[in-house]
């Protein structure tokens, strides 16, 4: 009788134990929402001329954000345009010969030289014949022959000058001029890029979280004017004890719970820290005993990320496995 009563009392206890094992919640971890902010800056300096957004605005990708005055950059671009025009004109000038009037001038000089050479040659031949008759001295004949040779060399000089005038510059000079024109073109492209960079637009759909300058203030090169937070840059950061870290890996699904967020938010683990750190006492409750923890990051879908605000405390649990039955 006593043995039968003992068996009867044991059965409910076993059922309760099985139910407790079946309904035990998944281990939870504490964390908070974090945002990877995008700080929008211009690579050039200038006075803030236009500010199209304010903190809290929702902007679309490509929407204008702000613009600097850009007066210095525009002046430099105009100077680069003039330098490019000069370099291109120089390169084009070296591709052709001299002007038509200059060539005509050389041709006229060549005609005169040929006439003078013919006259000098005739005079030298005549005096050479008179030497035999003793009509002229040999010295006079030699002088006439020398004058004829000089006239012939003058003709050769002008013929070479005419050929040179009709030809373009040397290949090395033309290559140097082309290189200078290309350098001027690159300098102009760089200046135009700087002019374009005075106005910045949103790189993606995002919320403006903060504005650091006002219209009229001077902004240094590379100084952020405002901060954006795209939904895809919102993530959960939580801390897992050393006893649980081996059970998590990138790609695992966890559930994020927070006050006022509505239904749990699914997120995928994107990073598990490789180094441990000590539990920050501000974040963790007294119920959490683990002191050595590993930081884990998980990212929700962009649609759900809008429900999370950076700094919001989170309760993170492993997602329940899908029921395939």
């Amino acid at each position: 009788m006593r043995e039968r009563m003992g068996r009867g009392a044991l059965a409910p206890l076993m059922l309760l134990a099985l139910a407790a094992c079946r309904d035990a919640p998944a281990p939870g971890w504490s964390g908070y929402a974090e945002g990877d902010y995008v700080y929008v800056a211009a690579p050039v300096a200038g006075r803030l001329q236009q500010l199209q957004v304010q903190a809290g605005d929702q902007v679309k990708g490509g929407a204008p954000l702000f613009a600097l005055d850009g007066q210095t950059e525009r002046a430099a671009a105009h100077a680069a345009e003039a330098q490019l025009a000069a370099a291109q004109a120089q390169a084009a000038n070296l591709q052709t010969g001299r002007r038509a009037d200059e060539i005509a001038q050389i041709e006229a000089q060549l005609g005169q030289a040929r006439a003078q050479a013919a006259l000098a040659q005739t005079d030298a031949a005549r005096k050479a014949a008179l030497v035999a008759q003793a009509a002229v001295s040999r010295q006079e004949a030699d002088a006439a022959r020398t004058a004829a040779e000089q006239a012939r060399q003058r003709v050769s000089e002008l013929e070479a000058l005419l050929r040179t005038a009709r030809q373009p510059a040397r290949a090395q000079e033309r290559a140097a001029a082309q290189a200078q024109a290309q350098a001027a073109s690159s300098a102009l492209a760089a200046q135009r890029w700087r002019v374009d960079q005075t106005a910045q637009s949103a790189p993606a759909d995002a919320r403006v979280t903060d504005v650091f300058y006002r219209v009229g203030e001077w902004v240094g090169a590379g100084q952020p004017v405002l901060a954006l937070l795209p939904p895809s840059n919102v993530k959960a950061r939580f801390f897992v004890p050393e006893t649980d870290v081996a059970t998590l890996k990138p790609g695992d699904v966890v559930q994020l719970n927070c006050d006022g967020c509505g239904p749990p938010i699914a997120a995928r683990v994107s990073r598990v820290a490789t180094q441990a750190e000590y539990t920050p006492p501000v974040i963790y409750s007294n119920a959490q005993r683990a002191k050595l923890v590993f930081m884990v990051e998980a990212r929700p879908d962009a649609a759900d990320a809008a429900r999370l605000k950076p700094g919001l405390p989170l309760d993170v649990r492993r997602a329940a496995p899908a029921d395939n039955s």
Side-chain angles (χ1 to χ4, degrees), residues 73-88 179-197:
E73 284 69 28
R74 286 192 295 271
H78 293 329
E81 289 176 355
Q83 292 175 354
L84 175 60
Q88 289 176 339
Q180 291 178 353
Q182 291 177 359
S185 178
S186 299
L188 176 59
Q191 290 299 331
R192 286 176 174 172
W193 177 83
R194 292 177 64 86
V195 172
D196 293 339
Q197 292 303 308

Side-chain angles (χ1 to χ4, degrees), residues 93-104:
N93 181 60
L94 294 178
Q95 296 296 330
T96 60
R98 295 189 182 181
R99 293 176 297 178
D101 291 343
E102 293 177 335
I103 293 177

Side-chain angles (χ1 to χ4, degrees), residues 30-33 257-259 261 283 308-316:
S30 296
Y32 55 90
N257 297 274
C258 58
D259 296 337
C261 295
I283 297 178
L308 299 178
K309 305 300 181 184
L312 186 67
L314 298 176
D315 180 25
V316 185

Side-chain angles (χ1 to χ4, degrees), residues 5 9 32 36 52 59 61 82 93 119 171 183 194 212 222 230 247 253 262 270 286 305 309:
M5 290 177 61
Y32 55 90
D36 292 331
Q52 287 92 343
V59 295
N93 181 60
L119 180 60
R194 292 177 64 86
F212 309 116
T247 65
V253 180
S270 59
N286 294 330
K309 305 300 181 184

